[in-house]
C-alpha cells in the first residue's frame, strides 16, 4: 500500500462517499424545497464503479469509508454498497450517515452487510420541532431505532444535530437528559453557509463555541483526538454514558486536522467540502485494468488540496447545499 499525503503532510484515511444526491426530507438548512434534480436525473455511481473506487482509495491509505448522500437509504442497492465497502481489502470501518427514515426496518440487514458505525441526523428532541425542521413527523421511530442500533452492538452510534439559533439552541438540558444513560455520541454541528442558504444562515447561525463554553462550565472535559477521528472536538463527563462532539468548521484549526476526501454520487473527487470544482473519476472506474491510472490521478489531485477552505471569506465554493456533495 502506498499511503498518499498532501503538500501539508496530511494523510487521508477517511473517505466520504455520496451514493445519491436525492433526499426524502426537506431540512430547512439543506433542501427546504425538497430534492429537485437539476435537469435529467443524475446517473449515480453503479456498484462495480463503487467497488473499483474503494479499492483505489484503500490503496492510497483510506481505512474508513462513510456512505452518505443525499439520503443513502433511498438507494435500493444500499445493502450491496455496504457489503462491497466492508469487503474492500484495507477498509476497517464502514460508516453511514442517514436521516433514519427507514432505519428501524433496515438496520439489521445493514449491520449484517458490514455497517459498523452509524450517524443519524436528529436536530431536535421535540417532536413538533423535528417535524418543522425536516418536514417529517418521524422522531419517535427514529429515536427508537437509535436505541436498537446501540443494542445491536455497532461500534459507534452517533446523533448529528445542527445548531440553529432560535430553533433548537435552547435544548441542551433535554439533550443532556437523553445522553445520561445512553452510550451514544451526540455531535453538535455548526451551521455552514452554502450557496443556497445565505438568508437562513444569517438568521440561524450560532457559534459552536457558545455551546462549548456551557459544556465546560457543566464539567464536560475535552478528550484527546484519535488519528482517524472525524473533525469533532469530543467531550466526556463522568456522570454521562454519552459523549458530545463539537464540529465547528469556522474555528481556526478546523482544516489543519483534515483527514478526509469526498466523492460525489456521480464520481467527482472533492478535495474539500467547500472546494471549487470536482474532477471526475468516473472515466477511470470503468475497468479493473484502470486501477493504476486511477491511483496515479489520486496522487496528482492530492497534491492540489488547499491548506484551508474559504468559508470565513464567505466563499462556499461550488456547494449549493450539502446534499449535493455528501455532508
Ligand atoms: N441525509 C443524511 C442525513 O441527513 O443524515 C446524510 C446527508 S446530510 C447532507 C449529512 C449531514 O450534514 C447531516 O447531519 C446534516 O444535518 C448536515 N448538514 C446538512 N446541511 C448542513 C449545513 N448547511 N450546515 C451544517 N450541517 C449540515
Ligand atoms: Fe436530506 Fe440530509 Fe439534507 Fe436533511 S440534511 S435534507 S436529510 S440530505
Amino acid at each position: 500500500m502506498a499511503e498518499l499525503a498532501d503538500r501539508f503532510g496530511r494523510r487521508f484515511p477517511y473517505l466520504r462517499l455520496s451514493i445519491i444526491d436525492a433526499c426524502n426530507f426537506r431540512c430547512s438548512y439543506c433542501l427546504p424545497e425538497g430534492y429537485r434534480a437539476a435537469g435529467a436525473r443524475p446517473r449515480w455511481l453503479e456498484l462495480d464503479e463503487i467497488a473499483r473506487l474503494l479499492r483505489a482509495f484503500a490503496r492510497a491509505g483510506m481505512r474508513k469509508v462513510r456512505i452518505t448522500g443525499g439520503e443513502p437509504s433511498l438507494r435500493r442497492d444500499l445493502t450491496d454498497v455496504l457489503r462491497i465497502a466492508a469487503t474492500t481489502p484495507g477498509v476497517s470501518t464502514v460508516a453511514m450517515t442517514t436521516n433514519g427514515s427507514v432505519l428501524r426496518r433496515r438496520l439489521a440487514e445493514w449491520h449484517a452487510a458490514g455497517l459498523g458505525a452509524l450517524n443519524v441526523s436528529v436536530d431536535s428532541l421535540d417532536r413538533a420541532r423535528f417535524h418543522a425542521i425536516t418536514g417529517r413527523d418521524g422522531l419517535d421511530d427514529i429515536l427508537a431505532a437509535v436505541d436498537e442500533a446501540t443494542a445491536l452492538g455497532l461500534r459507534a452510534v452517533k446523533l448529528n444535530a445542527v445548531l440553529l439559533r432560535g430553533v433548537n439552541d435552547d435544548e441542551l438540558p433535554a439533550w443532556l437528559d437523553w445522553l445520561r444513560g445512553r452510550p451514544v455520541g451526540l455531535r453538535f454541528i455548526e451551521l455552514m453557509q452554502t450557496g443556497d442558504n445565505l438568508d437562513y444562515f444569517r438568521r440561524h447561525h450560532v457559534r459552536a463555541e457558545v455551546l462549548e463554553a456551557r459544556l465546560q462550565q457543566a464539567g464536560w472535559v475535552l478528550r484527546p483526538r484519535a488519528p482517524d477521528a472525524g473533525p469533532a472536538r469530543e467531550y466526556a463527563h463522568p456522570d454521562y454514558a454519552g459523549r458530545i462532539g463539537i464540529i465547528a468548521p469556522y474555528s481556526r484549526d478546523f482544516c489543519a486536522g483534515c483527514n478526509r476526501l469526498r466523492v460525489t454520487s456521480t464520481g467527482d473527487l472533492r478535495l474539500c467540502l467547500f472546494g471549487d470544482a470536482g474532477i471526475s473519476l468516473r472515466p477511470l472506474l470503468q475497468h479493473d485494468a484502470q486501477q493504476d491510472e486511477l491511483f496515479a490521478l489520486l496522487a496528482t489531485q492530492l497534491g492540489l488540496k488547499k491548506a484551508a477552505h474559504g468559508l470565513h471569506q464567505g466563499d462556499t465554493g461550488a456547494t449549493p447545499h450539502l446534499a449535493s456533495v455528501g455532508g
Side-chain angles (χ1 to χ4, degrees):
M1 303 261 173
E3 199 181 343
L4 296 180
D6 72 1
R7 289 178 286 155
F8 308 98
R10 295 176 299 196
R11 295 177 190 282
F12 299 94
Y14 186 6
L15 171 69
R16 299 178 71 104
L17 173 63
S18 172
I19 56 168
I20 185 168
D21 64 345
C23 188
N24 53 346
F25 278 24
R26 298 165 172 245
C27 299
S28 47
Y29 48 81
C30 182
L31 293 173
E33 311 295 331
Y35 172 72
R36 289 193 199 136
R41 201 186 93 167
R43 207 167 59 80
W44 300 308
L45 288 173
E46 308 276 351
L47 293 177
D48 55 349
E49 294 174 313
I50 290 173
R52 291 184 191 112
L53 177 98
L54 293 180
R55 278 210 301 277
F57 272 87
R59 186 173 154 194
M62 182 263 289
R63 298 289 167 265
K64 172 173 173 181
V65 57
R66 176 173 300 282
I67 305 300
T68 181
E71 176 46 41
S73 63
L74 293 186
R75 261 185 78 150
R76 291 206 181 134
D77 56 3
L78 171 60
T79 304
D80 298 316
V81 173
L82 295 171
R83 193 173 299 113
I84 287 169
T87 53
T88 300
V91 171
S92 56
T93 307
V94 179
M96 181 166 76
T97 305
T98 172
N99 63 25
S101 49
V102 296
L103 189 58
R104 233 175 159 182
R105 256 187 299 132
R106 306 287 300 279
L107 176 65
E109 180 189 329
W110 296 339
H111 184 232
L115 180 69
L118 181 70
N119 283 49
V120 185
S121 299
V122 176
D123 294 326
S124 173
L125 286 180
D126 178 273
R127 195 174 148 189
R129 283 183 182 178
F130 179 89
H131 190 172
I133 297 168
T134 62
R136 283 288 189 112
D137 183 16
L139 178 66
D140 296 347
D141 224 36
I142 293 171
L143 290 178
V146 168
D147 283 339
E148 284 167 24
T150 318
L152 208 57
L154 266 80
R155 196 190 305 170
V157 180
K158 293 183 183 154
L159 252 54
N160 290 1
V162 179
L163 274 174
L164 302 168
R165 181 195 299 283
V167 178
N168 66 2
D169 59 343
D170 59 350
E171 281 194 45
L172 188 58
W175 281 115
L176 293 183
D177 272 357
W178 192 84
L179 278 180
R180 193 177 286 276
R182 287 184 171 85
V184 170
L186 168 62
R187 294 146 42 108
F188 286 112
I189 307 175
E190 192 171 322
L191 178 65
M192 289 176 250
Q193 182 190 325
T194 61
D196 283 357
N197 77 0
L198 184 56
D199 264 7
Y200 189 92
F201 178 82
R202 287 198 182 122
R203 272 181 282 131
H204 296 294
H205 176 244
V206 43
R207 295 297 302 249
E209 279 86 351
V210 176
L211 182 93
E212 219 168 337
R214 282 165 66 194
L215 287 175
Q216 285 166 352
Q217 277 161 16
W220 289 78
V221 177
L222 187 61
R223 295 186 38 90
R225 188 174 185 276
D228 71 339
R233 291 199 287 268
E234 260 230 318
Y235 284 83
H237 190 297
D239 299 341
Y240 292 82
R243 298 256 173 98
I244 296 184
I246 303 283
I247 299 187
Y250 296 91
S251 75
R252 216 162 23 94
D253 290 332
F254 185 72
C255 299
C258 183
N259 61 358
R260 76 220 39 237
L261 296 168
R262 291 185 157 76
V263 172
T264 69
S265 57
T266 52
D268 289 358
L269 173 67
R270 283 299 193 90
L271 296 171
C272 171
L273 179 53
F274 293 96
D276 274 333
I279 163 159
S280 179
L281 302 177
R282 203 158 201 177
L284 297 181
L285 298 176
Q286 303 313 307
H287 308 286
D288 289 340
Q290 296 170 300
Q291 284 281 301
D292 284 348
E293 221 183 317
L294 179 57
F295 181 80
L297 178 64
L298 290 181
T300 315
Q301 285 300 309
L302 276 185
L304 302 175
K305 189 168 159 80
K306 289 187 187 163
H309 62 57
L311 281 181
H312 295 111
Q313 293 76 40
D315 176 6
T316 61
T319 304
H321 44 71
L322 292 201
S324 65
V325 282

